[in-house]
Amino acid sequence: MVQYNFKKITVVPTGKDFIDIILSRTQRRTPTQVHKGYAISRLRQFYMRKVKFTQQNFHDKLSTIIEEFPRLDDIHPFYGDLLHVLYNKDHYKLALGQINTARNLIGKIAKDYVKLLKYGDSLYRCKSLKVAALGRMCTVIKRVSPSLAYLEQIRQHMARLPSIDPNTRTILICGYPNVGKSSFINKITRADVDVQPYAFTTKSLFVGHTDYKYLRYQVIDTPGILDRPFEDRNIIEMCSITALAHLRAAVLFFLDISGSCGYSIAQQAALFHSIKSLFMNKPLIIVCNKTDLQPLEGISEDDKKLVMEMKAEAMKTVIGQGGEATDDDSVLLTMSTLTEDGVIAVKNAACERLLNQRVELKMKSKKLNDCLNRFHVAMPKPRDQKDRPPCIPQAVLEAKAKKAEETAEKEKRKLERDLENENGGAGVYSASLKKHYILADDEWKEDVMPEILDGHNVYDFIDPDILMRLEELEREEGALQGLEADDDFEMDGAELTPEEQAALAEIRKKKSLLIQQHRIKKSTAESRPTVPRKFDKDKQFTAERMGRQLSSLGLDPSMAIDRARSRSRGRKRERSPDRGGNDGLDSMEVDGDQQNKKLRVRSRSASRSRSKSRPPGEVVPGEGLKDTAQKKKAIKMAKRSSKKRNKDARRGEADRVIPTLKPKHLFSGKRSTGKTDRQKFPLLWIHIQQPVASHVWGSCIRYAVQLQQPAIVENLFVC
Amino acid sequence: MPQGDYIELHRKRHGYRHDHFERKRKKEAREVHKRSQIAQKALGIKGKMFAKKRYAEKALMKKTLAMHEESSTRRKVDDDVHDGAIPAYLLDRDETTRAKVLSNTIKQKRKEKAGKWEVPLPKVRPVAEDEMFRVIRSGKRKTKQWKRMITKATFVGPSFTRKPPKYERFIRPSGLRFTKAHVTHPELKCTFNLEIIGVKKNPNGPMYTSLGVMTKGTIIEVNVSELGLVTPAGKVVWGKYAQVTNNPENDGCINAVLLV
């Protein structure tokens, strides 16, 4: 089936956009790099590819445009005529023709330039040829851009055309403007056509669908037609004329007998007679609309005569179709779309007439005879004269009856809403919500309920067995508390032996010592260096110490020492000098003494001046500073300046020792980014952070030379 | 299914969103910032193209602004100086102008004697022989190198037939043969696609002229019958000279300017 839906046409880009799209596509999808030194054949191929690729893309896109736009000669004549009326066939064909020539021209350009590229002997020449080729192709498109813009506009309009199937059952509505055609279609279908009091509200065809006897009918609403000679008609009227001319449909000619559309019945009758040639071979029904304003019987004699004339014409079409020559009322009908009076009758009549006509035609056609002898509708022969009505079980009948009663009752029952309406409406009457309370005594319904009474929430006591529940809860809680109490375990000192007591005292002392140590460590963490155990000053964690402690406990340390040593032995064996001096006193007290030199110093000073016992954190003004705050700030500044140094484990300002000048991990291995370059040459980087005078540079170089660091000297000049 | 002007219909029936106009206004106000962001962030070819477009827009904007700022105030009018007017103290010095005119005529006479005519491109870059010809090896062992292929655009007349391939020394490939030129009329400023009748003179030498090679600066004769020029005597002019203004081998076409 040919497409009658023009929504699927791809967007036509404007000339400029078209060029941009294709050129950027070429840039993205073809190789981009080429160098002067490549072989000439490679250069030529590179540029030829670009030219051909561009041409191919232009060709493809232009071809899609040409193919997707419908050819006015290939589609149904209804659509062909409609498009001609709307867009002017010649203009349309010209535009498409221009696109076609553009496509051919681009093909020719590409062919010529590819031929020329074969003679290109340098990069520059090939490149200029490619630039010329692409430029010419783009100029062709630029010249054609008005056509592209026109086609885009057409496409947008075409997409909004109604998709009418010219071959299926169709009902066409025509008449003067403002007679009620759009209201009618709104009533019988779901099409939402705009209905306004001014003429020519409907400016194009609209389609809606309706059902009758299990078949779908198209209903087409047309713009109003004025009584004018054919040549003077504008585009909007021509749309309806086209529809009338090409579609095999049932025609409903609308007549406004009240004259409220602004045109008299005489004018409408004149229109009817001028276009009656278009009604040939179509079931015609004359519909008198707006009967709520003016019934058909009440019109004047002249008008009645005109209407009867029209009816006679319409009857002719009935006779012409071989229908009954009765004065059937299915030729002249009255209705009112406002009161919906007679609307369904009109629709049914139109559908019926159309169906009959189509069936007749189909019966007469030759094709049907081939099918007909393959059909056989079997009608069962009645066995006897017994009447066999459908069997409905008794229960169902009763249920139905009950339901009928209920609905009747519902209608009789008085609703709250009715009550409200009676007593003054929504703002005046407020329904009493307590009407339906279920209480022990009905007189309590209107009582006022307090919420708080004697400081208690009334709702808390509403439950009648609330007291019982409270007692239960309390019992449970008591039980839980008892369980908790059982978990507490109290240590009684009298249960231990004296050795155990001594051990306990030792353990507690050691624990408190450890805690103290840990606290000191934490408080000085900010300005204490994190030194690996190798460089640990106090030598707390040597294997010998462990051995001594174990032997003091009475155990044999040799195996433990061996194990520890075997694990810690790396490439370089550290010979830790035996810091003697504390062999005898290797009990736990010594650790604390050695560690807390600072503390010892402070405690000594504190013990000297016992008369002035000051808390350790207090700061008094003095030493040149005016008050506590300033002194605190000074202390803070002093601490801050030394913090970084301490963290780096430097002894003071002048300590500039670099322990390893060439750490192995920085000078070996491959890394692409310069992560290790920075760290390899410390002297260099230090000086680069601050601007330095030239003599400092000199000394730096000398120092580097001293250290025999030729790499540094080299890098000095490189950087 | 939406048919006809359904968008306008919806707008008519339901109006716009309650914040439609505010959003629209804000979006348009934001466009300025977005554009400037794109202008700053776009890189590469996209950035260049955008910058070019924007520059053109800005120039146009500036012009319109200047135009709006023009006020109709009265300004001082400078009287035009007549041609040849000189201040009083130079009144008796007018020999130099005459001398100038004289030297001009002398120059012209000299030029005519020398055979130089005024052309739009008086000087062109000389084309070397190895640029013009490409050596073609021939013979059974490909050792003979006496053939040459011309790498520039050429013109051969309609009655051209090649010499027998064994004897032709200069090969003019058919891909590089042109019959039409895009000729611009210098006064009318419009360009026509005219047929070439022949190559009159190639500035690189008479050999190239005889071969029909067209490089930049070559004088060619074109068929101007479609221009409809007529001599004062009433005869129809159908051939005129034009000078080639581009490098045809790089552009794939011959652009020339008519010598009127």
Side-chain angles (χ1 to χ4, degrees):
Chain A
M1 178 137 122
V2 191
Q3 91 175 56
Y4 293 115
N5 180 9
F6 300 122
K7 299 188 205 295
K8 296 231 185 81
I9 307 178
T10 43
V11 180
V12 180
T14 64
K16 215 159 161 290
D17 283 345
F18 203 163
I19 294 171
D20 281 343
I21 290 168
I22 300 283
L23 287 181
S24 60
R25 200 146 196 260
T26 311
Q27 199 208 15
R28 268 183 294 124
R29 297 259 183 129
T30 51
T32 49
Q33 288 270 30
V34 90
H35 297 292
K36 229 174 4 175
Y38 287 177
I40 188 69
S41 57
R42 192 167 161 188
L43 292 171
R44 282 192 203 134
Q45 195 194 45
F46 176 79
Y47 286 110
M48 276 200 267
R49 184 170 169 179
K50 290 215 186 243
V51 170
K52 278 194 255 186
F53 187 84
T54 311
Q55 182 262 333
Q56 187 62 44
N57 279 328
F58 270 125
H59 183 93
D60 290 339
K61 285 219 189 281
L62 292 172
S63 302
T64 47
I65 292 173
I66 292 170
E67 274 155 30
E68 284 189 351
F69 273 87
R71 254 177 257 193
L72 295 183
D73 304 322
D74 288 349
I75 51 180
H76 193 275
F78 162 64
Y79 269 108
D81 238 3
L82 186 68
L83 294 179
H84 171 55
V85 160
L86 291 169
Y87 313 129
N88 193 3
K89 191 159 60 162
D90 300 325
H91 204 170
Y92 179 84
K93 277 190 176 172
L94 259 168
L96 283 178
Q98 276 196 356
I99 305 279
N100 196 25
T101 43
R103 186 174 59 163
N104 294 338
L105 279 173
I106 288 176
K108 251 193 264 175
I109 291 171
K111 210 161 55 142
D112 290 339
Y113 275 87
V114 163
K115 239 191 330 179
L116 275 171
L117 266 166
K118 291 200 197 119
Y119 297 103
D121 47 8
S122 70
L123 178 85
Y124 177 71
R125 191 158 154 187
C126 291
K127 189 171 179 179
S128 326
L129 282 169
K130 164 229 170 200
V131 166
L134 294 194
R136 277 176 93 162
M137 289 191 226
C138 295
T139 320
V140 170
I141 296 294
K142 246 200 286 186
R143 274 208 312 260
V144 140
S145 59
S147 294
L148 289 170
Y150 171 75
L151 283 172
E152 172 60 20
Q153 275 194 346
I154 285 190
R155 183 200 71 89
Q156 282 180 2
H157 195 274
M158 265 207 282
R160 285 186 270 125
L161 287 179
S163 48
I164 298 172
D165 185 357
N167 298 321
T168 179
R169 303 160 284 275
T170 320
I171 298 176
L172 206 56
I173 310 173
C174 61
Y176 249 84
N178 255 355
V179 292
K181 308 187 284 294
S182 303
S183 330
F184 178 69
I185 192 176
N186 280 344
K187 284 279 178 293
I188 53 171
T189 70
R190 284 199 60 184
D192 218 356
V193 187
D194 205 17
V195 174
Q196 297 285 345
Y198 58 87
F200 289 106
T201 314
T202 311
K203 292 192 256 294
S204 63
L205 299 175
F206 283 89
V207 74
H209 296 85
T210 181
D211 295 321
Y212 178 76
K213 283 192 179 168
Y214 309 109
L215 288 171
R216 185 144 270 204
Y217 289 75
Q218 276 180 146
V219 186
I220 299 183
D221 179 25
T222 64
I225 316 172
L226 295 171
D227 192 16
R228 285 205 279 217
F230 188 75
E231 304 76 35
D232 293 348
R233 294 204 186 275
N234 58 24
I235 295 178
I236 303 175
E237 290 170 341
M238 280 307 291
C239 282
S240 13
I241 302 286
T242 314
L244 274 171
H246 289 281
L247 294 174
R248 280 187 318 132
V251 179
L252 294 172
F253 186 85
F254 268 52
L255 204 55
D256 178 6
I257 46 180
S258 70
S260 60
C261 63
Y263 305 100
S264 68
I265 296 186
Q267 286 172 308
Q268 296 180 49
L271 172 69
F272 177 85
H273 290 293
S274 65
I275 59 172
K276 66 184 173 198
S277 56
L278 291 168
F279 299 148
M280 260 199 290
N281 298 334
K282 297 189 176 92
L284 175 64
I285 296 179
I286 299 173
V287 181
C288 302
N289 199 11
K290 304 192 188 172
T291 50
D292 55 312
L293 294 172
Q294 164 82 284
L296 182 60
E297 293 72 29
I299 55 174
S300 70
E301 276 306 311
D302 301 326
D303 292 338
K304 223 181 210 139
K305 210 165 57 168
L306 289 165
V307 172
M308 287 305 130
E309 270 176 32
M310 290 203 283
K311 185 174 172 181
E313 284 288 337
M315 292 292 281
K316 276 197 226 153
T317 62
V318 175
I319 297 168
Q321 280 162 25
E324 328 83 75
T326 57
D327 196 68
D328 206 5
D329 233 351
S330 72
V331 184
L332 180 68
L333 293 163
T334 61
M335 71 168 195
S336 167
T337 48
L338 190 65
T339 62
E340 299 191 33
D341 176 34
V343 168
I344 309 286
V346 170
K347 168 194 140 186
N348 289 345
C351 294
E352 190 65 44
R353 288 271 300 274
L354 182 65
L355 190 60
N356 289 339
Q357 192 214 25
R358 281 176 76 100
V359 164
E360 257 186 65
L361 269 166
K362 284 210 176 123
M363 296 290 249
K364 279 197 222 152
S365 75
K366 286 191 217 144
K367 264 201 280 186
L368 197 65
N369 292 330
D370 301 333
C371 308
L372 211 58
N373 47 12
R374 288 193 234 157
F375 283 131
H376 172 63
V377 180
M379 295 297 279
K381 264 202 305 224
R383 234 181 350 183
D384 49 22
Q385 303 301 98
K386 200 167 166 189
D387 188 29
R388 293 184 177 90
C391 169
I392 304 175
Q394 192 60 22
V396 172
L397 278 171
E398 283 175 7
K400 268 200 196 163
K402 213 171 33 162
K403 217 164 152 208
E405 258 181 47
E406 262 182 33
T407 49
E409 206 191 273
K410 217 194 266 185
E411 280 163 19
K412 278 189 275 168
R413 189 181 68 186
K414 199 168 193 187
L415 301 167
E416 279 292 337
R417 187 189 283 235
D418 299 332
L419 204 59
E420 186 185 69
N421 285 336
E422 276 173 23
N423 296 355
V428 178
Y429 171 81
S430 62
S432 104
L433 301 160
K434 304 186 185 175
K435 225 173 19 172
H436 296 293
Y437 276 8
I438 304 169
L439 298 166
D441 187 356
D442 273 339
E443 287 172 14
W444 298 342
K445 274 192 199 175
E446 297 297 323
D447 287 354
V448 176
M449 272 278 289
E451 285 185 12
I452 299 177
L453 195 64
D454 291 344
H456 296 282
N457 225 355
V458 166
Y459 277 121
D460 289 344
F461 293 89
I462 282 182
D463 198 346
D465 32 311
I466 197 162
L467 290 167
M468 245 174 45
R469 296 233 185 100
L470 189 63
E471 277 178 45
E472 257 184 56
L473 251 163
E474 282 187 358
R475 243 182 288 137
E476 267 182 52
E477 262 187 54
L480 271 167
Q481 273 182 3
L483 276 168
E484 273 178 31
D486 285 336
D487 286 338
D488 272 353
F489 178 74
E490 272 191 18
M491 261 273 291
D492 208 5
E495 290 171 359
L496 297 170
T497 65
E499 297 90 34
E500 282 174 351
Q501 273 184 5
L504 186 62
E506 289 271 344
I507 290 169
R508 284 203 178 135
K509 206 155 135 200
K510 180 131 197 216
K511 196 170 172 183
S512 65
L513 261 167
L514 281 173
I515 290 172
Q516 248 181 36
Q517 260 183 41
H518 183 69
R519 283 202 185 126
I520 290 164
K521 211 167 154 191
K522 260 177 65 167
S523 67
T524 58
E526 256 185 356
S527 55
R528 186 170 39 85
T530 36
V531 183
R533 250 180 214 187
K534 236 176 21 176
F535 304 112
D536 167 27
K537 275 193 292 185
D538 297 323
K539 305 277 172 191
Q540 290 179 303
F541 300 106
T542 58
E544 283 159 18
R545 223 193 213 167
M546 180 176 81
R548 280 199 298 269
Q549 285 179 4
L550 284 174
S551 43
S552 71
L553 288 172
L555 302 160
D556 182 19
S558 45
M559 278 193 61
I561 291 176
D562 281 337
R563 231 183 301 138
R565 284 236 172 97
S566 71
R567 242 188 246 155
S568 67
R569 195 161 291 159
R571 296 259 177 90
K572 242 178 162 184
R573 251 189 81 188
E574 264 239 336
R575 292 181 184 281
S576 41
D578 193 14
R579 288 240 195 107
N582 287 322
D583 277 345
L585 317 146
D586 57 351
S587 57
M588 299 174 213
E589 296 97 331
V590 185
D591 299 349
D593 281 347
Q594 273 217 333
Q595 269 271 348
N596 307 334
K597 240 194 200 169
K598 275 193 186 158
L599 266 182
R600 260 194 288 142
V601 168
R602 224 194 268 158
S603 61
R604 229 187 274 143
S605 60
S607 64
R608 265 200 213 129
S609 53
R610 212 177 264 276
S611 49
K612 279 191 196 174
S613 56
R614 229 185 273 137
E618 200 198 283
V619 169
V620 284
E623 296 164 6
L625 302 156
K626 65 174 178 192
D627 59 2
T628 325
Q630 208 182 42
K631 189 158 186 191
K632 274 195 188 144
K633 199 167 173 195
I635 292 173
K636 211 174 181 184
M637 282 172 74
K639 280 208 184 137
R640 196 197 292 162
S641 65
S642 64
K643 234 191 270 182
K644 194 161 190 296
R645 269 201 322 265
N646 291 344
K647 265 285 181 196
D648 282 341
R650 302 210 172 267
R651 281 193 294 265
E653 272 180 10
D655 182 359
R656 296 209 188 96
V657 168
I658 301 169
T660 41
L661 279 171
K662 289 185 106 179
K664 186 165 178 180
H665 66 282
L666 293 178
F667 283 88
S668 66
K670 290 189 200 171
R671 263 152 292 207
S672 60
T673 51
K675 184 160 169 92
T676 47
D677 285 348
R678 275 179 267 137
Q679 299 164 15
K680 264 195 221 176
F681 306 112
L683 281 175
L684 197 65
W685 283 99
I686 292 169
H687 280 281
I688 281 173
Q689 304 308 326
Q690 309 121 25
V692 283
S694 51
H695 65 276
V696 182
W697 274 114
S699 63
C700 171
I701 294 169
R702 259 180 277 126
Y703 189 45
V705 170
Q706 254 182 359
L707 290 172
Q708 283 152 7
Q709 290 280 352
I712 294 183
V713 181
E714 225 173 76
N715 277 293
L716 216 55
F717 293 105
V718 164
C719 293
Chain B
M1 118 202 88
Q3 30 183 342
D5 288 331
Y6 59 97
I7 300 171
E8 276 85 9
L9 191 60
H10 184 273
R11 287 230 174 105
K12 215 173 20 164
R13 284 186 181 159
H14 308 286
Y16 291 95
R17 277 173 70 127
H18 70 276
D19 55 358
H20 169 89
F21 294 106
E22 193 183 322
R23 282 175 86 196
K24 194 163 171 218
R25 178 182 59 85
K26 286 191 139 195
K27 191 165 184 187
E28 279 159 20
R30 259 182 273 135
E31 284 304 314
V32 183
H33 295 284
K34 258 197 162 179
R35 279 194 85 195
S36 100
Q37 207 190 40
I38 294 170
Q40 287 173 32
K41 289 202 176 169
L43 299 171
I45 186 79
K46 225 192 235 183
K48 282 191 200 162
M49 284 170 64
F50 190 81
K52 192 164 166 202
K53 244 195 303 182
R54 207 157 153 77
Y55 177 75
E57 282 172 22
K58 280 195 175 174
L60 196 63
M61 243 197 307
K62 279 200 178 160
K63 263 197 214 156
T64 49
L65 281 172
M67 229 167 54
H68 285 305
E69 276 177 31
E70 263 175 21
S71 51
S72 56
T73 53
R74 283 184 284 175
R75 285 199 199 99
K76 185 170 140 210
V77 170
D78 281 325
D79 284 324
D80 285 327
V81 183
H82 291 290
D83 222 5
I86 39 174
Y89 53 87
L90 290 174
L91 268 173
D92 29 332
R93 301 192 198 185
D94 48 5
E95 279 143 23
T96 36
T97 41
R98 244 186 273 146
K100 221 176 171 185
V101 168
L102 271 174
S103 68
N104 265 346
T105 43
I106 293 175
K107 274 192 195 161
Q108 252 191 5
K109 283 217 184 98
R110 283 197 204 133
K111 259 196 190 165
E112 268 182 40
K113 240 208 266 178
K116 285 201 179 197
W117 281 267
E118 213 178 80
V119 280
L121 299 176
K123 288 208 196 129
V124 283
R125 186 178 72 89
V127 179
E129 199 179 301
D130 51 359
E131 198 184 323
M132 186 76 81
F133 299 124
R134 204 197 302 173
V135 178
I136 304 280
R137 285 170 176 261
S138 58
K140 198 171 191 184
R141 311 270 174 245
K142 300 282 180 210
T143 47
K144 298 184 183 262
Q145 292 183 37
W146 52 272
K147 285 192 178 223
R148 297 283 182 276
M149 182 173 90
I150 296 177
T151 59
K152 306 276 180 190
T154 55
F155 172 76
V156 295
S159 58
F160 171 74
T161 36
R162 289 167 63 187
K163 281 221 297 246
K166 187 169 172 180
Y167 300 111
E168 66 177 346
R169 202 191 312 173
F170 294 106
I171 300 173
R172 279 163 279 194
S174 60
L176 288 173
R177 291 186 202 159
F178 289 92
T179 50
K180 287 194 157 205
H182 305 302
V183 183
T184 314
H185 197 290
E187 272 140 43
L188 299 174
K189 305 270 188 230
C190 50
T191 316
F192 306 94
N193 202 12
L194 305 173
E195 263 188 33
I196 305 175
I197 300 170
V199 174
K200 175 77 178 159
K201 185 167 174 46
N202 191 313
N204 294 111
M207 177 171 71
Y208 301 123
T209 314
S210 63
L211 280 172
V213 174
M214 292 184 284
T215 55
K216 185 166 182 178
T218 313
I219 312 281
I220 57 176
E221 195 175 353
V222 286
N223 183 346
V224 293
S225 48
E226 71 174 49
L227 287 174
L229 302 169
V230 184
T231 58
K235 298 215 186 113
V236 175
V237 178
W238 69 279
K240 254 190 168 304
Y241 291 132
Q243 191 182 30
V244 177
T245 52
N246 74 330
N247 288 317
E249 68 276 3
N250 284 349
D251 295 332
C253 56
I254 303 181
N255 296 342
V257 87
L258 201 61
L259 300 176
V260 283

